[in-house]
Amino acid sequence: MLWHGIAVFLRVGALVALMPAFGERTVPTRIKLVIILCFALIIAPALPNMPINPGPDMFFWLAITETLAGLLLGIGIRLFILALQTAGSIAAQSTSLSQILGGAAADPLPAMGYILIIAGLALAVMAGLHVKAASLIILSYDLLPMGQLPTGSVVSTWGVSQISQAFALAFTLAAPFVILSVLYNLALGAINKAMPQLMVAFVGAPVITAGGLFVLLLAAPFMLEHWMRGLDAYLANPYRTQP
């Protein structure tokens, strides 16, 4: 039973390290350790005891296989946060609220990105992220058995599919702001053509900023609802390769 718990702990620890909300860098390490222990205590009794031969070699092998399995699952969840970050950057750039590649540094994000991320994390936790994550880990043992390495071709196909879906989700979420930007620039070009003496950029800058904030007010609930549906679909079936 102790070895069974250790194996579950390894997979859970790798997943929690990348899980949204619970695995953020602002969460103290001791709190993360308590969260991992709680997950392990909940998940271990729900799994049948695996045939494990105790020994240093087995521990080393479990440390590799279970950590890799947890990291794969955690990366899949983390990509949804990347989708929100990318959507926030696209929206801010489209509405002149950030510079091009302004978020290319380690941490800086436009204000829209922070708003979407904080709202998404709060929504995910309120919707029972911890319960869904526990179910995800239990489900993962069907396709990623304990002590077995996943096939490289399967991992590569799954990874490419998840990344493409994350960027597709980001562009879908940012679509209202891109459409607003296109309409704004078309109107600005028409006004500039009709009145060349007017400094339309100075007149239009407050308009696009106010319009971007207004669109964010209207579209944020629908954006987060669509994002949450995608996250729930992944937590229910993390091994799908088609959107």
Side-chain angles (χ1 to χ4, degrees):
M1 292 180 61
L2 179 61
W3 277 90
H4 178 74
I6 291 174
V8 174
F9 179 86
L10 291 171
R11 182 173 298 200
V12 171
L15 174 62
V16 171
L18 296 175
M19 186 185 300
F22 299 101
E24 303 298 328
R25 286 183 295 177
T26 54
V27 179
T29 305
R30 295 179 180 177
I31 301 300
K32 290 182 182 178
L33 180 59
V34 173
I35 293 173
I36 295 171
L37 288 173
C38 292
F39 270 110
L41 291 175
I42 293 172
I43 295 168
L47 299 173
N49 289 329
M50 308 295 178
I52 298 176
N53 297 321
D57 295 339
M58 178 55 66
F59 178 78
F60 179 75
W61 181 248
L62 288 175
I64 295 176
T65 58
E66 298 308 296
T67 302
L68 179 60
L71 288 176
L72 289 176
L73 296 173
I75 289 173
I77 302 177
R78 200 71 197 176
L79 285 175
F80 285 90
I81 302 300
L82 175 64
L84 282 180
Q85 293 176 349
T86 306
S89 298
I90 295 173
Q93 172 58 32
S94 300
T95 54
S96 300
L97 292 175
S98 73
Q99 297 178 352
I100 296 178
L101 299 180
D107 283 329
L109 274 178
M112 282 188 177
Y114 277 117
I115 292 174
L116 291 176
I117 290 174
I118 295 301
L121 293 178
L123 178 62
V125 174
M126 292 172 61
L129 176 62
H130 54 294
V131 178
K132 298 173 183 176
S135 301
L136 170 66
I137 298 174
I138 296 174
L139 175 66
S140 69
Y141 285 93
D142 293 335
L143 295 178
L144 292 174
M146 185 181 296
Q148 295 185 20
L149 284 175
T151 308
S153 59
V154 174
V155 173
S156 62
T157 302
W158 174 85
V160 171
S161 175
Q162 295 301 321
I163 292 174
S164 64
Q165 291 177 33
F167 279 99
L169 177 61
F171 281 103
T172 302
L173 296 178
F177 302 92
V178 176
I179 295 173
L180 173 66
S181 176
V182 172
L183 295 177
Y184 163 77
N185 285 284
L186 286 176
L188 214 62
I191 295 173
N192 191 28
K193 188 70 174 178
M195 303 176 62
Q197 299 80 8
L198 180 64
M199 299 296 292
V200 291
F202 291 100
V203 177
V207 175
I208 188 63
T209 301
L213 295 177
F214 183 71
V215 171
L216 179 65
L217 173 66
L218 296 180
F222 302 99
M223 295 168 63
L224 293 174
E225 181 182 359
H226 182 69
W227 176 82
M228 195 64 206
R229 285 200 300 266
L231 179 60
D232 287 340
Y234 172 82
L235 293 174
N237 182 17
Y239 306 108
R240 75 192 193 284
T241 55
Q242 297 293 332

